[in-house]
Amino acid sequence: MKVMAVNGSPRKNWNTDTLLKNVLDGAASAGAETEMVYLYDLNFRGCRSCMACKLRKEPRPNRCVLRDDLTPVLDRIHEADAVVLGSPIYFSEVTGEMRSFFERFLFQYLNYDDYSKPLSPAKKTAWVFTMNCPEAWFPQVGYREVFQRYENWMKLYFGHCETLLSMDTMQVKDYSRYHLGMFDGKAKCQRHETVFPQDCKKAFELGVKLAAR
Ligand SMILES: Cc1cc2nc3c(=O)[nH]c(=O)nc-3n(C[C@H](O)[C@H](O)[C@H](O)COP(=O)(O)O)c2cc1C
């Protein structure tokens, strides 16, 4: 049993990274082999639309043919039993790196002969999203729909997906040092002390579930 995490945050040891580490700790506690991939450490681009993965005569059909740092990662994820993707929300979306990864990850499996039957291997999957936004703002900003869309893609391609949200996160340790006037730094830090540990616990439990056969 192998569980992989793909981290779409540029910041190590911050919110997304901490949650993904908890997911992997949970998976390891259930006996899984684990691996974290930091997208910001890799040299890669999004899908080039070369269409080589759709060629009838391609010797390795339904797999991305681009050769860069993502190539071995995509190979390892293909073989893994479970994968968790984590990203902070940037301008109401996943980060650019996560989006580029996502294109490469899914397009190789896209089946234009029967769109509803992607050519991907079944696996357990999950999303971890972190954001400044408190849940109360979701109706205004439409995030619920964004997260649902990403979960639906994974469900369609891999047959399973769960989503963990960590909202109203702490963006900096000392709010007084920055122009961040719209935030109550004290409340943010307090939430980080009280609610974020609960999110970490949920992440650990998610890892245990991903590792279960
Ligand atoms: C470029 C940029 C854009 C952001 N846009 C949003 C946004 O649209 N909505 C939101 O809720 N948070 C936004 N944030 C805040 C991050 O999503 C939030 O701080 C997140 O928890 C950071 O994750 P990290 O600690 O793993 O880096 C943005 C942060 C940055 C740097």
Side-chain angles (χ1 to χ4, degrees):
M1 165 63 65
K2 176 150 183 199
V3 180
M4 289 184 66
V6 178
N7 191 340
S9 169
R11 302 201 299 175
K12 287 188 181 152
N13 299 317
W14 273 87
N15 298 288
T16 313
D17 194 23
T18 305
L19 290 168
L20 288 177
K21 281 175 179 160
N22 272 279
V23 174
L24 293 186
D25 284 350
S29 78
E33 181 195 339
T34 64
E35 179 185 345
M36 177 85 84
V37 174
Y38 290 99
L39 292 180
Y40 280 79
D41 286 350
L42 305 181
N43 249 319
F44 73 100
R45 294 276 183 91
C47 176
R48 302 283 181 99
S49 195
C50 69
M51 302 303 285
C53 61
K54 310 290 171 240
L55 274 174
R56 292 187 196 278
K57 284 193 173 165
E58 167 60 35
R60 203 167 168 253
N62 316 317
R63 302 298 302 282
C64 183
V65 303
L66 295 182
R67 294 287 169 260
D68 59 18
D69 289 358
L70 203 58
T71 310
V73 172
L74 291 176
D75 282 346
R76 293 204 295 281
I77 297 174
H78 185 81
E79 298 299 331
D81 303 281
V83 63
V84 52
L85 311 182
S87 181
I89 295 306
Y90 282 7
F91 294 100
S92 309
E93 258 296 338
V94 296
T95 59
E97 259 69 2
M98 175 52 77
R99 187 69 197 183
S100 293
F101 162 82
F102 196 67
E103 291 170 6
R104 291 274 297 279
F105 184 32
L106 260 55
F107 192 75
Q108 57 181 350
Y109 301 131
L110 194 155
N111 181 359
Y112 279 126
D113 293 328
D114 184 347
Y115 196 77
S116 67
K117 294 196 178 82
L119 302 158
S120 32
K123 49 181 107 252
K124 287 191 178 168
T125 78
W127 276 106
V128 171
F129 297 111
T130 75
M131 69 217 76
N132 246 330
C133 186
E135 194 169 11
W137 297 358
F138 277 16
Q140 279 153 270
V141 294
Y143 284 4
R144 196 65 75 191
E145 292 73 18
V146 175
F147 306 137
Q148 193 60 59
R149 184 161 40 83
Y150 277 106
E151 186 177 287
N152 288 347
W153 279 119
M154 296 297 273
K155 276 186 178 151
L156 174 66
Y157 274 67
F158 303 102
H160 169 270
C161 187
E162 292 183 48
T163 300
L164 176 66
L165 303 179
S166 184
M167 293 144 303
D168 203 358
T169 54
M170 187 178 75
Q171 196 166 10
V172 296
K173 287 202 171 89
D174 182 355
Y175 277 73
S176 69
R177 292 182 56 220
Y178 299 87
H179 292 292
L180 285 166
M182 70 179 273
F183 300 113
D184 178 346
K186 214 169 145 198
K188 281 274 193 190
C189 294
Q190 210 165 22
R191 186 179 165 91
H192 188 74
E193 298 289 313
T194 54
V195 178
F196 191 68
Q198 294 170 28
D199 294 341
C200 289
K201 193 163 170 277
K202 286 183 200 157
F204 186 94
E205 284 158 8
L206 173 62
V208 172
K209 273 203 267 176
L210 289 179
R213 290 202 183 270

